[in-house]
Amino acid sequence: MGKSTVSAFFKQQGVPVLCADEVVHKLYSAGGAAVAPVGAAFPSAVVDGAIDRAALSKCVVGNEAAMKQLEGIVHPLVEQERKQFIAEQGLDAVAVVSAPAEQQRQRVMARPGMTADKLEAILARQVPDAEKRRLADFVLDTGCSMQQTEQQVLQLIAALQGRQGTAAARALGRAAEQ
């Protein structure tokens, strides 16, 4: 349980959520904006008109220049989606989803095809969890039960509803009207 679960809890309550992982999946899918430029850089990564993540991983993991090239293609596309989301929804607060490091590691290592080397390469490219926590307005700790995590989400929504003019309050107001 982690970002996807928390995102689902927010969405169930009518709160708009932008998940960068979901944006990348959309960009990599058939017809996605990343398919052509990533395919031009890494032709073997395109299968049936979409980016095959396993094939792409073979092209870039352990190859710093290739990884930078991929990031140079994908990051601006994700940023464009983020800016569009902010323009459409407004942004008042940033919440980070976090769990203890060992628990995060266990969850990621349980994914199909994940190796310790891949995980270390991913972690080396990410903003450290402590920094994410420091920059966030709210931290949702998923190192607990699903029910406790859902309770944190509901408490955050209640807090945001009380803040006049927030995007969450506006979105929840629209959801209540429907």
Side-chain angles (χ1 to χ4, degrees), residues 2-19 85 93-97 138-142 149-161 168 171-172 175:
K3 296 178 292 200
S4 297
T5 301
V6 170
S7 292
F9 288 152
F10 276 115
K11 289 175 184 176
Q12 288 169 3
Q13 298 299 317
V15 177
V17 173
L18 178 69
C19 175
F85 179 82
V94 173
V96 67
V97 177
F138 301 95
V139 176
L140 297 165
D141 183 356
T142 61
T149 299
E150 184 174 25
Q151 190 59 38
Q152 289 178 67
V153 169
L154 295 173
Q155 289 170 348
L156 175 54
I157 290 170
L160 291 173
Q161 281 179 307
L172 292 166

